[in-house]
Amino acid sequence: MRESKKISLEDHMGFIKSLKTLNDRKYFALMKEEEILGSLNFVKDGKLFWGLYFKDEVNPMYKSLACYIFLNYIFSKFDEDLNSFIKKNNPQALSFNKNFGFSEYKSDEEYIYLKLSSKEWDEKKESKLLSPVKKYLSKTTYSIKE
Amino acid sequence: MKDKIEKIVIETLKELNEELEKDELENPTLKTRLYGGVGALDSLALVSFIADLEDRISDEFEKDLVLADEKAMSAKTSPFRSVESLVLYVESLLGV
């Protein structure tokens, strides 16, 4: 999260309404039945970025499968590198991104910057780490609603 | 039977570690911590491990298992916290 200042309810609601008409960014809620477990988004602001948020107690299975599906979704829409930036004090998030194939390309005082290409993602899906996930996903029922 | 389950769990971990390259998973034992706290696996690695393990257990014992059900994943004392707790959990699911 880059913003830490307070946002008014009015500004926030305006932002939510604007999302429906924007094609350069999409925000998805991860839902199981009627419960929201987290959110995933991409923003094309010059570079293409993704962002993730999950409740602490969420089943790791849902979190991992949702990210796998979301990366496939992003690379079906964009043929360019996907970027991510992680706070330096968040090693779990860094490891999580790297396990999906992201690699570091720079850092500053606060963040580590990573990227993943479509080709790298395709290769990563065949890895020892992700191929069981791919197989597991084939037995899972899910849908993406835009 | 328990020894066979332990062997499969450890072999599955070792193979996964060929990619993860974690020191603590080079020679896993019953005491090896897996998930949560100081566990060696993050959420994605856990999912990969469980998916692979389910296949191997099913092949070996000719019985379909779902290791990652809602109850197990959300339990306060997760069966995935260590190799030992996982072996006991698989044993209980197989009913042996």
Side-chain angles (χ1 to χ4, degrees), chain A residues 81-84 101-105 113-117 120:
Chain A
D81 287 353
L82 177 64
N83 293 267
S84 179
F102 282 84
S103 55
E104 291 180 36
Y105 65 92
Y113 298 83
L114 307 101
K115 64 181 176 181
L116 174 70
S117 70
E120 287 165 338

Side-chain angles (χ1 to χ4, degrees), chain A:
Chain A
M1 187 180 287
R2 270 188 293 192
E3 293 292 343
S4 55
K5 66 182 180 187
K6 281 190 178 179
I7 299 170
S8 72
L9 179 62
E10 190 176 298
D11 285 349
H12 184 64
M13 293 314 287
F15 166 73
I16 298 291
K17 278 183 185 170
S18 73
L19 295 178
K20 288 185 180 176
T21 57
L22 295 173
N23 290 319
D24 62 351
R25 62 198 64 204
K26 286 195 185 295
Y27 292 74
F28 293 88
L30 172 63
M31 299 188 72
K32 180 177 179 287
E33 292 154 6
E34 294 303 310
E35 185 188 1
I36 295 177
L37 306 176
S39 70
L40 307 96
N41 70 74
F42 72 78
V43 175
K44 175 85 168 79
D45 183 14
K47 286 183 176 180
L48 178 65
F49 287 91
W50 81 329
L52 313 166
Y53 166 77
F54 299 103
K55 288 180 178 174
D56 285 343
E57 69 276 14
V58 71
N59 182 330
M61 187 67 82
Y62 301 143
K63 185 161 72 170
S64 299
L65 295 180
C67 288
Y68 187 104
I69 293 163
F70 195 54
L71 283 172
N72 275 341
Y73 173 83
I74 291 173
F75 284 119
S76 74
K77 303 279 183 191
F78 296 93
D79 183 21
E80 62 183 280
D81 287 353
L82 177 64
N83 293 267
S84 179
F85 55 95
I86 308 290
K87 281 204 166 184
K88 281 185 165 174
N89 63 2
N90 193 348
Q92 290 92 347
L94 182 62
S95 169
F96 190 71
N97 273 257
K98 284 186 171 179
N99 278 343
F100 277 103
F102 282 84
S103 55
E104 291 180 36
Y105 65 92
K106 71 170 185 177
S107 64
D108 57 26
E109 284 184 5
E110 201 172 358
Y111 294 102
I112 295 170
Y113 298 83
L114 307 101
K115 64 181 176 181
L116 174 70
S117 70
S118 173
K119 183 171 178 284
E120 287 165 338
W121 171 236
D122 284 339
E123 288 170 1
K124 190 68 183 180
K125 282 191 283 188
E126 303 306 319
S127 68
K128 179 72 193 161
L129 181 63
L130 286 186
S131 53
V133 179
K134 182 180 177 183
K135 196 172 169 186
Y136 204 91
L137 197 57
S138 67
K139 299 186 280 186
T140 306
T141 305
Y142 65 91
S143 64
I144 301 174
K145 293 179 184 169
E146 295 190 44

Side-chain angles (χ1 to χ4, degrees), chain B residues 26-74:
Chain B
E26 270 186 21
N27 291 298
T29 68
L30 284 173
K31 297 296 173 199
T32 300
R33 305 288 298 177
L34 294 178
Y35 184 70
V38 294
L41 304 176
D42 68 9
S43 53
L44 179 61
L46 177 70
V47 171
S48 175
F49 170 61
I50 288 172
D52 199 7
L53 186 61
E54 277 184 3
D55 279 351
R56 290 175 189 231
I57 295 281
S58 296
D59 288 348
E60 179 66 32
F61 295 96
E62 296 179 348
K63 187 173 180 179
D64 283 339
L65 280 189
V66 178
L67 295 175
D69 72 3
E70 200 69 33
K71 195 175 163 191
M73 295 306 256
S74 60

